[in-house]
Amino acid sequence: MTLPNITMTMYDIDMREIGIGGYGKVFLAKDRMFKDRQVAIKKVVKIDEERDSAFKKEVTIMKLLDHPNICRLFETYDQGRVMYFVIEFCEGGDLFDRFSNHGPLPETVVAPIIKQVTSALKYAHSKGIAHRDLKLENICFCENSPSSTHVKVIDWGLAGSFEQGRMKSNVGTSTYSAPEVLDPEDEDDGYTCACDLWSLGIVAYIALSGKPPFWGSAKQQLARMKAEYYPLSGAFWDSVSDTAKDLIRHLLKVDVQARLSADQVLHHPWLEQHKVEPDFRLLTQ
């Protein structure tokens, strides 16, 4: 990998890939200025003007976000057709991996995660920014310890600004996308940051049960979403607390006005039962 000279002087690069996606590759590096701090360097290729514009938009949005539960962007290097993002490294892997390795997670683990993600969403929404692609893969653990529940929301590449009006692009991952994003009643109306709260409900549902709430073809899934038809009873769900199920019910509301806001989620009884102690090591890195 060819890196800008300034990057080579500031970081010791591990040439092994730690991630790869549709937009580029991610490498692990050590920051020479801060002892023991590791960073992730994402290399992306600007194949056209649209992609170039998307990357610049992502940089602009990430520079606005400074929150303990949002993965930080330290700096960027623009090298013509290639751009490098130097970002915070979350060494514990993502929630999808944790779920895949251990199956459905207990409420004592899921509740603190949902609380932290909600805090990140509330902050982003206060800045006029919606994530629009919240899912298990975009929630990462800060530490590589099975007992750690400290997380950060990553990948703001599809984030949208709603300060100038409602959002209209059909983006995100369909399993987690809100019905108003997938099938707006009126395309001119658009949608709001409430789409993130629907996705949060899907995250909680899958993390607790091991399955998505809606299934079938795309058309069948959408019909079930709009009917709010999904199981919350049976062999597994009978062991989940009523307060956890109540939160999910109030997040998976088709009526956006009836759906909980981030602030309301933070004050929900289920989350208030599970306190999250701040990790001051993470706040000072």
Side-chain angles (χ1 to χ4, degrees):
M1 176 175 65
T2 303
L3 290 168
N5 290 335
I6 188 170
T7 307
M8 295 295 286
T9 60
M10 295 178 64
Y11 303 100
D12 292 319
I13 313 295
D14 186 332
M15 303 308 290
R16 293 172 299 175
E17 297 172 11
I18 60 171
I20 187 168
Y23 287 163
K25 300 176 181 179
V26 183
F27 299 84
L28 183 63
K30 288 185 178 180
D31 192 326
R32 293 179 180 175
M33 294 184 64
F34 295 89
K35 185 180 179 181
D36 298 327
R37 184 167 81 175
Q38 292 181 307
V39 299
I41 297 181
K42 181 168 71 171
K43 175 186 177 183
V44 297
V45 179
K46 298 177 285 186
I47 59 176
D48 52 36
E49 289 186 7
E50 182 179 356
R51 187 69 60 86
D52 183 23
S53 177
F55 291 145
K56 289 178 179 177
K57 177 185 174 184
E58 181 179 359
V59 170
T60 300
I61 286 176
M62 290 194 71
K63 284 183 176 179
L64 291 174
L65 302 176
D66 184 12
H67 185 276
N69 298 117
I70 294 177
C71 185
R72 284 182 290 174
L73 173 68
F74 294 125
E75 53 191 336
T76 60
Y77 298 97
D78 195 335
Q79 300 288 303
R81 291 189 67 251
V82 178
M83 181 177 284
Y84 300 90
F85 293 71
V86 181
I87 56 180
E88 194 171 7
F89 175 58
C90 297
E91 65 181 40
D94 62 47
L95 182 55
F96 181 82
D97 288 338
R98 180 76 62 94
F99 162 79
S100 298
N101 293 332
H102 300 282
L105 302 172
E107 292 182 50
T108 52
V109 171
V110 178
I113 291 171
I114 295 299
K115 191 167 189 175
Q116 293 169 83
V117 172
T118 305
S119 179
L121 292 178
K122 179 182 176 181
Y123 170 81
H125 293 173
S126 74
K127 299 288 186 180
I129 296 169
H131 187 281
R132 302 200 297 182
D133 195 25
L134 188 67
K135 55 186 177 181
L136 298 182
E137 294 92 330
N138 286 339
I139 300 170
C140 283
F141 291 91
C142 301
E143 297 176 293
N144 191 18
S145 168
S147 62
S148 174
T149 57
H150 287 279
V151 297
K152 291 179 184 281
V153 179
I154 68 167
D155 197 350
W156 294 78
L158 294 178
S161 172
F162 54 87
E163 284 193 320
Q164 304 302 319
R166 289 175 171 243
M167 299 168 286
K168 297 181 180 180
S169 300
N170 183 345
V171 298
T173 304
S174 59
T175 298
Y176 298 84
S177 293
E180 67 268 21
V181 176
L182 295 172
D183 186 34
E185 292 186 5
D186 187 336
E187 292 186 1
D188 292 332
D189 284 346
Y191 55 90
T192 70
C193 61
C195 65
D196 285 342
L197 279 305
W198 175 280
S199 302
L200 183 71
I202 302 292
V203 167
Y205 189 102
I206 295 176
L208 286 170
S209 72
K211 299 178 180 179
F214 309 105
W215 60 92
S217 66
K219 185 176 181 180
Q220 289 172 326
Q221 288 185 50
L222 187 60
R224 290 187 170 108
M225 288 180 187
K226 292 186 174 183
E228 296 180 9
Y229 179 71
Y230 52 90
L232 275 180
S233 61
F236 174 79
W237 283 106
D238 289 346
S239 65
V240 176
S241 70
D242 289 338
T243 51
K245 289 185 280 191
D246 181 77
L247 177 65
I248 290 172
R249 287 192 188 96
H250 284 88
L251 287 172
L252 300 184
K253 287 288 184 184
V254 176
D255 181 356
V256 176
Q257 299 302 319
R259 196 178 302 163
L260 294 180
S261 67
D263 189 60
Q264 289 172 321
V265 172
L266 289 173
H267 290 92
H268 189 274
W270 187 53
L271 296 191
E272 290 194 331
Q273 294 170 10
H274 300 274
K275 303 298 182 182
V276 178
E277 296 298 328
D279 188 332
F280 293 104
R281 291 172 300 167
L282 300 175
L283 298 180
T284 56
Q285 283 183 354

